[in-house]
Amino acid sequence: MRTQVGIIGAGPAGLLLSRLLQLQGIDTVVLENRSREYVEARIRAGILEQHTVSTLIDAGVGDRLQREGLPHDGVHLQYPGTRHHLDFAELCGRKVWLYGQSEVVKDLIAAQLDDGPPLLFDVSDVVPEDVDGDSPRIRFTDADGTPQVLECDAIAGTDGFHGVSRPVVTAAGGRTWERTYPYAWLGILADVAPSSDELVYAWHPEGFALLSMRSPSVSRLYLQVDPTEKIEDWSDDRIWDGLSTRFALDGWELQTGPVTEKSILPMRSFVSAPMRRGRLFLAGDAAHIVPPTGAKGLNLAVADVTLLAEALVRLLADERTDLVDSYSDRALARVWRCTHFSWWMTSMFHRSGDDFDAELQLSQLRRVCGSETAARELAENYTGLPLDR
């Protein structure tokens, strides 16, 4: 087998990269070790920055997003007795959209299978080789159990935190940074109309809570819990009681309904540098993880592959190496900005430490709610800073 860019991983990063390269006349093959059904069912992030939405539309995979996505002009910040609205449109002239990552993946897969380059599911034993030269390859076993070799001009590792790509990069040197947080999110999907027109980020003495949504009839909610908690110990009634307590506000009531999915998500920050070794390039969760409080994971992946697609087109079409040579540094500059914002949002809302720490958190929240300058800083970061091209 032969292609120009071999892509390992059919998450949103790998699929979008394939789409962007296809539009520029670059051939790709995407390899995925899971089934199509598994990939499309993974529940992940749901908030899209304006740049992400524009990129998907420009790539021709934004029709359903524009029909079904929910544009949001702001968020509510809450602490006991107070719920304050931040108007992103007024503060920075941008907005965000609610549209689940699983829906983005479905749209990208449908486009790929309709008129796109090869997308191979259920592969195994994936190994990138000879990445330091100009002719790397990927060895793998296809869904029928037949060993294959994919000859490439470049390889993109978009196979997530547990994938095979990052170890190949770090084996040549580099560094990783990691922060494990002392709390987790218990997340649920519920068949009930959202209780708020926009997201609610709530600080409470018992812990953080987030009210989000997937559609006008499906709510997505999160509850801060200890990382050692077991999901089977949380009945639906216990979850709704905890959410009702943390969102409590005079004159407002949380609507409850049947819980259709629930899970516990540990939280961490992780960055690996560099994001390149020779002709192997990392993007998305293969290179970095952020806690979901800042809504940056999927959006960072889109930013990565936007930069990487431009760099690979320059390399393969024009034989110029300037953009691939600078890719890692340019991508990591944005990664660290978003990592800081995600850490800041996480640290401001999640209850930990003693009462002194709690008063510091409340002081910061009052500052954001009471200062246009502080509110604008949050809005600019939340809606997505311009991409450095």
Side-chain angles (χ1 to χ4, degrees), residues 6-175:
I7 300 174
I8 304 173
L15 292 166
L16 180 58
L17 177 62
S18 178
R19 182 72 178 181
L20 295 175
L21 291 174
Q22 177 194 2
L23 294 174
Q24 295 297 317
I26 301 297
D27 295 330
T28 68
V29 173
V30 181
L31 306 176
E32 169 57 48
N33 67 351
R34 301 282 193 169
S35 68
R36 177 182 179 180
E37 293 74 21
Y38 180 92
V39 171
E40 291 185 339
R42 284 185 292 205
I43 301 297
R44 293 290 188 270
I47 298 175
L48 307 184
E49 295 175 0
Q50 191 151 331
H51 167 264
T52 297
V53 172
S54 298
T55 300
L56 293 170
I57 292 172
D58 291 345
V61 289
D63 289 349
R64 194 162 69 94
L65 187 162
Q66 294 179 89
R67 291 195 311 269
E68 301 176 14
L70 304 176
H72 278 221
D73 289 325
V75 296
H76 298 281
L77 307 183
Q78 178 174 324
Y79 50 92
T82 299
R83 181 175 292 176
H84 180 81
H85 182 250
L86 295 187
D87 190 320
F88 293 158
E90 286 188 3
L91 290 165
C92 65
R94 296 193 293 273
K95 64 178 69 175
V96 296
W97 277 256
L98 268 75
Y99 189 70
Q101 177 173 316
S102 58
E103 304 308 310
V104 173
V105 169
K106 290 175 186 176
D107 295 341
L108 287 164
I109 288 177
Q112 189 98 359
L113 296 180
D114 182 34
D115 64 350
L119 167 55
L120 309 182
F121 292 103
D122 293 309
V123 306
S124 58
D125 305 320
V126 178
V127 180
E129 294 182 344
D130 292 341
V131 299
D132 295 318
D134 293 338
S135 302
R137 69 179 64 88
I138 306 172
R139 295 189 182 274
F140 68 97
T141 301
D142 66 22
D144 296 325
T146 304
Q148 303 281 0
V149 178
L150 178 62
E151 303 287 348
C152 313
D153 296 314
I155 299 173
T158 59
D159 48 345
F161 182 80
H162 299 289
V164 301
S165 300
R166 188 178 68 252
V168 176
V169 174
T170 56
R175 183 176 177 186

Side-chain angles (χ1 to χ4, degrees), residues 28 43 48 59 61 77 96 103 147 160 198 225 232 248 264 307 328 358 360 367:
T28 68
I43 301 297
L48 307 184
V61 289
L77 307 183
V96 296
E103 304 308 310
E198 292 181 336
V225 299
E232 54 267 24
I264 291 179
L307 295 175
S328 181
L360 292 178
R367 168 68 178 169

Side-chain angles (χ1 to χ4, degrees), residues 159-164 166-167 178 268 270 284-289:
D159 48 345
F161 182 80
H162 299 289
V164 301
R166 188 178 68 252
E178 186 166 10
R268 64 168 172 249
F270 178 88
D285 288 358
H288 42 75
I289 300 286

Side-chain angles (χ1 to χ4, degrees), residues 188-189 231-243 256-262:
I188 66 168
L189 280 174
I231 194 64
E232 54 267 24
D233 295 332
W234 286 82
S235 67
D236 293 359
D237 287 343
R238 184 185 178 190
I239 293 170
W240 285 120
D241 287 345
L243 289 166
T256 64
V259 175
T260 59
E261 190 271 341
K262 56 184 174 181

